[in-house]
Amino acid sequence: LKQACVRAYNDFLIEWASTSPDRLLAVCALPFWDVAESVVEVMRCSELGHRSVLFPSQPQDFGQPDLSSSHWDPIWECAQSLNLPISFHIGGQAALGVKEGEFSPRGGSMGRKAKFARYSALAFIGNSLGISELICGGVCHRFPTLKFVSVESGVGWIPSLLEALDWQWHNAGVVSEHPEYELLPSEYFRRQIFACFWFEKEVLARAAELYPDNLMYETDFPHPTSMSPGPATIAVRPSDYAQQALTDLSDEVIGKLLHDTAARVYRVT
């Protein structure tokens, strides 16, 4: 029954996206608790026109093997062969203490909205768990042309994470343990991992300077943190944000952030 629900959802996405196929691209869900069925669904959805595969960044939080486990290799191999990037949406882990009622006051003085603000900020960084596992666990090494996308997670923390990983890579002597790893963490990232931004300003320029080919703009509509102006949000229109946040970047980099990289990752002509 659960597999049937996943298939029905993926079929619905294709029907929904068909109203504007030049603008809407479907990303398929998987019955990830069953690897064999997941492979079948990836192949089926590729034929239907899906452009990416949604996957939890911390499957062990749902009683499954770690993301770096070879258990998932059949899915990675299938997605790589079909040129379908893997998308990690925030909230694909339970490590941040997300439980029923997390956003409701349960004693103490934090309050529902303050809890939401705290979780929303920490959830962005939560995808660093998955990125570090992909690199340190050898997934990027084993599947060198498979693309991974950190969705709705921001990008300001990317340089800090990768600088720390590179430093510890040398400091801990990872190469002596894994001589087959031919690249540094930051180099694996540059080769095949991507991240998305939509409201950052102060930290965006540095991330774009270091990783201009790995960042993509999103509006995140219609989530509460999306670039959708309204009476209860400080969000501005995407065009206004671009004018404010990207003004010091070169036209070439701006083109990559707003169009070229996403077109390449999702095979849009």
Side-chain angles (χ1 to χ4, degrees):
L1 178 60
K2 290 187 292 186
Q3 282 89 336
C5 289
V6 173
R7 288 193 297 270
Y9 172 75
N10 289 333
D11 290 343
F12 156 76
L13 280 183
I14 289 296
E15 181 180 352
W16 181 77
S18 68
T19 60
S20 184
D22 58 339
R23 188 173 63 90
L24 302 175
L25 306 179
V27 178
C28 69
L30 292 183
F32 64 90
W33 54 90
D34 188 321
V35 169
E37 285 293 330
S38 292
V39 170
V40 171
E41 188 63 7
V42 170
M43 296 176 65
R44 189 183 78 90
C45 288
S46 177
E47 293 179 356
L48 290 175
H50 286 257
R51 299 297 183 90
S52 183
V53 177
L54 183 64
F55 205 81
S57 64
Q58 294 290 275
Q60 65 268 28
D61 289 350
F62 304 97
Q64 300 298 315
D66 293 352
L67 190 66
S68 58
S69 171
S70 59
H71 171 83
W72 306 111
D73 282 5
I75 297 177
W76 308 149
E77 183 176 4
C78 181
Q80 179 175 257
S81 69
L82 297 170
N83 197 19
L84 292 177
I86 305 296
S87 294
F88 298 108
H89 193 281
I90 63 167
Q93 67 280 321
L96 296 176
V98 181
K99 301 175 182 177
E100 184 177 357
E102 175 71 12
F103 298 146
S104 301
R106 294 181 295 169
S109 59
M110 184 177 292
R112 185 170 182 265
K113 292 183 178 180
K115 285 184 177 181
F116 176 79
R118 172 182 174 271
Y119 167 71
S120 296
L122 291 178
F124 302 155
I125 304 171
N127 269 15
S128 66
L129 299 172
I131 288 176
S132 61
E133 285 191 45
L134 293 173
I135 295 171
C136 297
V139 179
C140 291
H141 169 74
R142 298 198 301 274
F143 301 94
T145 63
L146 181 57
K147 300 178 180 67
F148 299 94
V149 182
S150 180
V151 180
E152 198 196 352
S153 62
V155 300
W157 52 271
I158 295 292
S160 176
L161 171 68
L162 294 175
E163 184 174 9
L165 282 175
D166 279 359
W167 195 90
Q168 294 292 2
W169 199 266
H170 290 298
N171 185 60
V174 171
V175 175
S176 64
E177 182 180 55
H178 291 285
E180 72 276 16
Y181 291 178
E182 73 276 16
L183 300 177
L184 289 171
S186 61
E187 293 172 329
Y188 281 116
F189 184 91
R190 283 191 175 93
R191 186 176 74 181
Q192 60 194 111
I193 303 178
F194 304 83
C196 305
F197 68 95
W198 74 103
F199 67 84
E200 292 161 294
K201 295 179 182 177
E202 300 299 330
V203 294
L204 177 60
R206 182 56 174 165
E209 177 186 359
L210 292 172
Y211 303 100
D213 297 307
N214 301 83
L215 310 183
M216 300 182 286
Y217 175 72
E218 63 174 316
T219 65
D220 205 45
F221 177 83
H223 287 166
T225 57
S226 67
M227 300 304 282
S228 306
T233 176
I234 62 172
V236 299
R237 296 183 182 278
S239 59
D240 294 336
Y241 166 78
Q243 289 290 337
Q244 298 169 11
L246 308 181
T247 183
D248 293 331
L249 302 178
S250 69
D251 289 345
E252 180 184 7
V253 171
I254 293 174
K256 291 178 178 181
L257 300 182
L258 298 184
H259 175 270
D260 298 348
T261 299
R264 173 165 54 91
V265 171
Y266 297 107
R267 296 175 287 120
V268 178
T269 57

